[in-house]
Amino acid sequence: MNLPFVLRGIDSGREYDPREIRYRGEDGELLEVVHSKTGRPVSRKTLQERRMSHDPIDVSGVWRYRELVLPLPYRHIIVKPEGNTNLYPAGSLENSGYNRIGRYAGVENLYLKHEGENPTGSFKDRGMTAGISMAHYLGATAVACASTGNTSASLASYAAQAGMKCFVFIPAGKISYSKLAQAIAYGAVTIQIDGDFDAAMQLVEEVCISLKVYLLNSVNPFRIEGQKTIGIELIHQLNWDVPDWIVLPGGNLGNTAALGKGLSELFQRGYISRLPRVATIQAHGASPFYRSFKSGFSEFTPMQANTIASAIRIGNPVSYKKAKQTIEFTNGLVETVTDAEIMDAKAVIDRAGIGCEPASATTLAGIRKLQNAGTIRKSDRVAAILTGHVLKDPAAIADFHEGKLPGTDPVLRNTVQHAQPTLASVREIITRVLNDTV
Ligand SMILES: *Cc1c(COP(=O)(O)O)cnc(C)c1O
């Protein structure tokens, strides 16, 4: 049976049959999925009705949009369901504790889409459900990825559900134990490579090609299709009323690529009549995309990456070219923030009762910086993608609140109090806090 989509090389335009296992075009270029149906393959009304259904593929915030994502025969779809993440109104005018976040950012209309609320705690589940379903369609029995953490946690979980063997390649050191723990717990064979992420990434691609294991890194174009739904679901949640900005962190840039592809398709198919501007925020120590943006995208130089935000500690992003299209097409921009700015912003998001992992907080730090510079206006409607769950990196939280991270704001610290097991000792602490006016 023919599938209603093909794979196309992003440079050459050469087309490939999606039933053939391949991750890149003949000359190594990235591939993208091109759908054969144009126009609106599903109405907004049907999409809304699916929100009332109890069928897992309607409940899923990925497969609800299946005609726009990956129209596969239903028996191949591996669904948890995923998505349906909360969109928190957190602007400065908000009448709740969330308004602290909007005040910090300096914007009146701010929405936080919390992708950490996905089944394995990060947005990676959206791409993975699509990727693993395609693997199932292709008859794969083993899958692999290289990951700084969240991709492996997600893949391990979906592989377990699909009954496939799973191999994850992780860089030596500097990965969050919470994420590694998930991959191990979900039964993935975890291989630690004595090298950085970019080395692990290159190796896994070679391994998959020579050992007939299906590769589910973000080079895999089917993952991008699932990941597109962050933007689609976000705009659906806003009743198709497009925000002025969508702000997200950038590491390997699969997410930036996917967001842009989804927005462009929504626009071309007539679901939306204007585009938001996309702002990708990188950590200062892992900012090859930002540097390239500053050169008007005339140059691109990979770098040795270093940042506390392990999910974006990537110096040679795979999806660079696709992400560049997103920024150009949406009249977007790329910004950087320091580790101290990331951790301060994270403390603000955490303190409001929402919480996220360090990489996610680049968004708030970036919005604040762009608002201060006058690029984002106070009255703009801004949506930020919180990519991962607060429990993904407890070590970073402890270090922040113990004051171990240089340059961070001491006012945001919440240190553990120590008391004797007596009422007097505890009373002293509690009265001090109750009399505190902040
Ligand atoms: C993967 C990941 C990112 C980076 O996304 P890219 O697609 O690699 O740019 C950011 N935050 C979290 C929590 C992630 O897991």
Side-chain angles (χ1 to χ4, degrees):
M1 196 192 80
N2 276 330
L3 291 170
F5 51 86
V6 294
L7 288 175
R8 190 165 68 193
I10 65 163
D11 298 322
S12 70
R14 194 178 297 139
E15 291 190 355
Y16 300 92
D17 187 335
R19 294 169 301 179
E20 167 196 351
I21 294 181
R22 67 158 54 241
Y23 312 107
R24 291 179 184 270
E26 254 145 45
D27 38 15
E29 66 184 327
L30 293 177
L31 297 173
E32 66 178 354
V33 173
V34 180
H35 295 265
S36 16
K37 277 203 184 133
T38 54
R40 287 194 196 186
V42 54
S43 70
R44 283 187 189 182
K45 183 164 169 283
T46 302
L47 292 175
Q48 189 59 27
E49 280 163 9
R50 287 179 186 167
R51 296 190 68 141
M52 314 292 283
S53 159
H54 294 288
D55 185 339
I57 73 161
D58 289 340
V59 174
S60 166
V62 173
W63 297 104
R64 178 179 307 132
Y65 308 100
R66 51 194 171 268
E67 293 85 351
L68 303 167
V69 171
L70 213 56
L72 286 174
Y74 287 7
R75 66 180 181 285
H76 296 295
I77 293 180
I78 315 283
V79 58
K80 284 193 179 287
E82 42 290 306
N84 296 302
T85 56
N86 283 313
L87 185 64
Y88 296 101
S92 64
L93 302 177
E94 210 50 51
N95 187 21
S96 77
Y98 298 162
N99 70 7
R100 290 162 174 269
I101 302 173
R103 288 206 309 264
Y104 188 79
V107 297
E108 292 170 354
N109 297 294
L110 176 65
Y111 301 89
L112 302 178
K113 183 151 180 64
H114 206 329
E115 288 294 302
E117 295 170 350
N118 271 291
T120 77
S122 83
F123 76 82
K124 299 298 195 300
D125 292 343
R126 288 185 187 265
M128 212 50 87
T129 182
I132 204 96
S133 298
M134 195 63 199
H136 190 271
Y137 175 85
L138 294 167
T141 55
V143 291
C145 72
S147 167
T148 55
N150 284 332
T151 298
S152 53
S154 181
L155 180 60
S157 167
Y158 279 91
Q161 186 182 353
M164 296 176 191
K165 293 209 166 89
C166 178
F167 301 94
V168 308
F169 288 57
I170 57 167
K174 284 203 181 170
I175 99 154
S176 152
Y177 200 77
S178 306
K179 301 176 188 180
L180 180 56
Q182 280 183 287
I184 295 170
Y186 299 146
V189 175
T190 304
I191 306 173
Q192 190 153 32
I193 304 295
D194 200 6
D196 64 6
F197 173 77
D198 300 299
M201 182 86 183
Q202 209 176 336
L203 186 63
V204 74
E205 218 173 311
E206 286 172 34
V207 167
C208 283
I209 291 164
S210 55
L211 299 180
K212 295 212 168 18
V213 173
Y214 190 70
L215 178 65
L216 274 167
N217 263 22
S218 65
V219 66
N220 183 305
F222 303 108
R223 273 187 57 198
I224 301 278
E225 293 309 288
Q227 235 159 273
K228 289 189 313 198
T229 59
I230 297 181
I232 302 174
E233 187 182 88
L234 163 65
I235 291 175
H236 187 178
Q237 282 169 309
L238 292 172
N239 272 320
W240 307 99
D241 188 3
V242 178
D244 298 304
W245 295 89
I246 299 184
V247 184
L248 79 173
N252 225 348
L253 302 176
N255 208 14
T256 300
L259 179 65
K261 187 169 191 283
L263 291 170
S264 130
E265 290 171 1
L266 285 184
F267 185 71
Q268 276 154 16
R269 292 174 183 281
Y271 289 95
I272 56 175
S273 53
R274 66 183 191 96
L275 289 165
R277 296 181 72 185
V278 171
T280 297
I281 316 294
Q282 295 207 291
H284 186 75
S287 54
F289 192 42
Y290 170 76
R291 293 177 189 198
S292 175
F293 170 74
K294 281 286 159 194
S295 76
F297 289 129
S298 62
E299 284 165 37
F300 174 71
T301 319
M303 65 187 281
Q304 190 74 42
N306 188 21
T307 165
I308 191 168
S310 62
I312 51 172
R313 191 186 292 134
I314 293 167
N316 189 10
V318 166
S319 296
Y320 165 74
K321 280 192 181 166
K322 290 182 177 178
K324 170 174 162 279
Q325 289 173 357
T326 298
I327 301 302
E328 288 172 341
F329 181 70
T330 66
N331 185 29
L333 55 82
V334 188
E335 186 52 272
T336 61
V337 289
T338 64
D339 278 11
E341 287 170 321
I342 292 172
M343 292 308 290
D344 282 349
K346 173 177 148 55
V348 171
I349 296 167
D350 291 356
R351 171 67 180 82
I354 292 177
C356 64
E357 72 165 280
S360 311
T362 55
T363 54
L364 179 60
I367 296 166
R368 178 177 158 103
K369 186 168 176 183
L370 291 166
Q371 197 279 341
N372 280 333
T375 312
I376 291 182
R377 282 172 312 184
K378 202 171 149 188
S379 58
D380 283 351
R381 288 172 75 235
V382 183
I385 316 284
L386 301 183
T387 45
H389 196 278
V390 67
L391 290 177
K392 288 284 192 175
D393 196 347
I397 299 177
D399 287 350
F400 178 89
H401 291 286
E402 284 164 19
K404 289 186 186 159
L405 304 179
T408 54
D409 185 351
V411 172
L412 296 166
R413 270 173 220 160
N414 182 19
T415 44
V416 175
Q417 309 287 308
H418 297 274
Q420 297 301 312
T422 63
L423 181 60
S425 178
V426 173
R427 175 188 285 146
E428 195 272 317
I429 296 168
I430 293 179
T431 34
R432 177 159 41 82
V433 174
L434 293 178
N435 292 337
D436 211 342
T437 48
V438 259

